[in-house]
Amino acid sequence: MRSRDEWRWLIALCAGVRLLAMLTSPAILNDSVSLLRAAVRVSAEGPGVLLQIPHHPLPVAVFALAGQWFDPLTAASVLCALGSSIAVWPLHALARRACGRHAALAACLFYAVLPKAVAVGAVPLAEGIALPFFLGALALAAAARDASRAVTIRRLVGAGALAGLAFLGRPEALIAFPAALAAAALDGRVGKLRRAGLVTLGFVVFALPYVVLLSQERGRFTLSPKKDIARFVGAAAPLRDALPAGAAIAAPEQPTDAHAGGVTDIVRGTASALESALTVPLIVLVLLGTVPYRRWRRRRARRPRLLLIGTALILIALVARLHAGWGYGGGRHVLAAAVLLLPFAGEGLALLGSIFVRVTTRRRFLIVAATTLAIPLGATAVLRPPGEGGLGARRLGEALAAAIERESGAGSRVTIASSGEPRVAFYADRVLARSGGSAHDLPLWGRFLRPLTRGAALDDVVSGVHAELTLSGAGWLVLDVVDRDAAEVALLRALRERGMVSESTIAAGSELAAIAVVH
């Protein structure tokens, strides 16, 4: 098979691994629940909901559309598996330009089994939808230089359009637009402004309408429903400073600069996120792959190499900013950067091959070595799927639904309050929906439990939780009854002492338990 055509079987390999991980995953993630709930709202209330939800619109709209004909969870999971598998095609094109055909093959083999890359294709997550558009935008921008005038125009406009679609999928994918601009404008030929204009045209056609409508909905200019742009760039004061005294309990969760640690914590957190996304062996290969000076001396390879490294570094810097201002940022947040660095991992492996074997057998060595490294990564991705930690929540949700149907009969509708575990209500809803019932999640963590862990008065939190349970009519309260920091245990004890919840408890073999609310 020609090396230019190998992306076809690489797509098949990626899809096979992701579908297998999807089948072995015992549960989905909390973010998956939020996306699916938003998709249900869009289906029920119309596209206007896309401006009200805390997600970028593309994944939610796609999930909502697919959920009209198929089981929403299954359809969304398959779409993410296919989307993250197709992403290997533009990755192969980028890696081939930057690091050569041997490194491209190794990079794509690594991508096929990289645990975090598999995870976003095994459960419904926005990254599974956004990643192929993100990589496609960079690949088209990098390829525009080697085409005729008419093809160049199409590729540049296409690069901008894909960057716009990527931005509609994930906020950090906005970086694809300036990256594509740089690739188009700095390719060494005249007509930089014209090429930049073509990329911009494609981008604004897809991204600008959403930004305008979202800004109108929020009453101020904003690029994302997930983060305030002024606070993200440091142009506005931390929100906590702007809140009135005593508002911490009643106000919705809003991360602030006060949540972050010092420089050491930021560096450690960012490095941990990168290690989680890329793994230590591949990081070592990436460092080796940036060394070969012959690649850097070739102008044709130097520009795509700079594009990959520069874009990856900006994405890593964004994760550092998350740690600096919000105190979090994990492997999924830095996944796009990790994928952009995979071509250098392939080249690092090729460099080792050039040292130990003859040139004529280098490709064979590369395939064997990459496969040897890929096998344990793939085993980890499949045997430890992304939803592994949610099995207890799933079992509790199913057990709770069975108890509700026994007590209240078929067609029961219930609200389940929880501290950061929407999966309980999600899986309870899937069981109750079979008989015409439903379960809805009432989140308590950001407004009540988080302040309690940070020193808020227990009496204030108990009063707030009781008011929320009464107002919502919640029938059950889900808490971590072996809470490590004892906040949820203390809350449960206080609620029981005041007669706000009963002694009736449902458990399913995990740290979570559902407690009946007294009205």
Side-chain angles (χ1 to χ4, degrees):
M1 179 183 293
R2 294 184 304 168
S3 60
R4 288 186 181 273
D5 297 327
E6 61 196 10
W7 57 267
R8 291 184 174 87
W9 64 262
L10 286 168
I11 290 178
L13 174 63
C14 289
V17 174
R18 281 147 181 78
L19 290 173
L20 184 58
M22 183 184 77
L23 294 175
T24 60
S25 183
I28 58 176
L29 304 181
N30 287 337
D31 286 352
S32 305
V33 173
S34 183
L35 285 166
L36 292 172
R37 292 290 196 193
V40 170
R41 283 192 60 196
V42 170
S43 298
E45 303 174 31
V49 174
L50 293 172
L51 301 175
Q52 303 168 8
I53 57 177
H55 303 286
H56 279 231
L58 182 61
V60 176
V62 170
F63 294 165
L65 186 63
Q68 293 180 1
W69 289 282
F70 307 98
D71 174 66
L73 174 56
T74 303
S77 299
V78 171
L79 284 171
C80 287
L82 294 178
S84 65
S85 299
I86 292 172
V88 79
W89 184 9
L91 174 62
H92 185 272
L94 283 167
R96 186 181 177 89
R97 286 181 175 277
C99 302
R101 64 188 183 95
H102 301 319
L105 174 59
C108 293
L109 286 174
F110 293 146
Y111 172 78
V113 297
L114 194 66
K116 286 295 180 184
V118 173
V120 302
V123 294
L125 289 171
E127 290 86 348
I129 303 298
L131 192 58
F133 296 112
F134 179 83
L135 294 175
L138 300 187
L140 278 180
R145 189 177 188 276
D146 302 328
S148 65
R149 178 182 177 87
V151 175
T152 294
I153 291 174
R154 289 198 296 270
R155 287 180 177 177
L156 291 176
V157 174
L162 291 179
L165 289 169
F167 167 66
L168 294 181
R170 284 288 302 176
E172 69 271 15
L174 177 63
I175 301 303
F177 174 51
L181 277 179
L186 304 179
D187 68 354
R189 297 180 295 172
V190 297
K192 294 179 175 58
L193 291 179
R194 180 181 62 84
R195 293 193 298 277
L198 292 171
V199 174
T200 303
L201 174 64
F203 178 79
V204 299
V205 166
F206 287 92
L208 185 60
Y210 173 69
V211 172
V212 171
L213 293 173
L214 181 66
S215 299
Q216 290 177 346
E217 176 73 19
R218 303 299 169 96
R220 66 185 188 281
F221 174 74
T222 183
L223 293 173
S224 171
K226 300 180 75 69
K227 292 286 181 291
D228 183 276
I229 185 64
R231 290 192 182 90
F232 193 86
V233 300
L239 184 61
R240 179 174 292 180
D241 297 340
L243 288 174
I249 299 298
E253 178 185 355
Q254 291 285 353
T256 73
D257 287 345
H259 294 177
V263 174
T264 302
D265 293 331
I266 294 168
V267 173
R268 184 185 297 114
T270 305
S272 176
L274 184 61
E275 186 275 332
S276 174
L278 195 54
T279 74
V280 171
L282 295 186
I283 291 175
V284 173
L285 289 177
V286 166
L287 295 176
L288 285 176
T290 60
V291 171
Y293 70 94
R294 291 182 180 177
R295 291 278 182 194
W296 290 106
R297 293 178 61 184
R298 300 172 188 168
R299 180 177 297 181
R300 180 181 175 86
R302 183 167 64 244
R303 288 194 176 94
R305 290 167 75 87
L306 289 172
L307 174 66
L308 292 175
I309 292 177
T311 307
L313 289 177
I314 293 173
L315 290 168
I316 293 171
L318 293 180
V319 175
R321 174 60 182 128
L322 279 178
H323 279 283
W326 282 264
Y328 76 94
R332 274 176 45 213
H333 296 92
V334 78
L335 175 61
V339 173
L340 291 177
L341 294 175
L342 286 178
F344 298 96
E347 187 163 10
L349 198 60
L351 178 63
L352 293 178
S354 67
I355 296 173
F356 296 111
V357 300
R358 293 176 296 129
V359 174
T360 54
T361 62
R362 188 179 304 172
R363 183 173 178 83
R364 186 179 304 169
F365 167 84
L366 205 66
I367 293 174
V368 172
T371 302
T372 302
L373 285 173
I375 287 174
L377 291 175
T380 300
V382 172
L383 298 178
R384 302 195 63 182
E388 182 183 31
L391 182 58
R394 176 174 182 169
R395 287 174 174 170
L396 179 59
E398 293 169 346
L400 182 55
I404 291 171
E405 288 188 327
R406 285 196 303 269
E407 294 178 6
S408 305
S412 301
R413 300 179 182 275
V414 64
T415 296
I416 302 173
S418 71
S419 173
E421 265 302 343
R423 287 176 290 194
V424 175
F426 177 82
Y427 282 106
D429 181 69
R430 286 179 66 82
V431 174
L432 293 173
R434 299 168 189 165
S435 59
S438 65
H440 300 281
D441 178 61
L442 176 66
L444 301 177
W445 169 254
R447 291 174 295 167
F448 303 108
L449 272 300
R450 186 191 294 273
L452 184 59
T453 63
R454 292 173 175 165
L458 178 60
D459 288 341
D460 292 340
V461 173
V462 170
S463 298
V465 170
H466 182 246
E468 192 73 16
L469 294 175
T470 302
L471 182 64
S472 65
W476 294 86
L477 173 64
V478 174
L479 292 174
D480 182 345
V481 293
V482 291
D483 184 15
R484 296 192 195 99
D485 56 22
E488 297 185 38
V489 174
L491 175 63
L492 176 58
R493 186 183 303 114
L495 289 171
R496 277 180 169 161
E497 288 173 354
R498 291 162 173 78
M500 298 173 182
V501 297
S502 74
E503 296 293 331
S504 176
T505 300
I506 295 177
S510 72
E511 71 278 5
L512 298 174
I515 303 97
V517 177
V518 176
H519 290 288

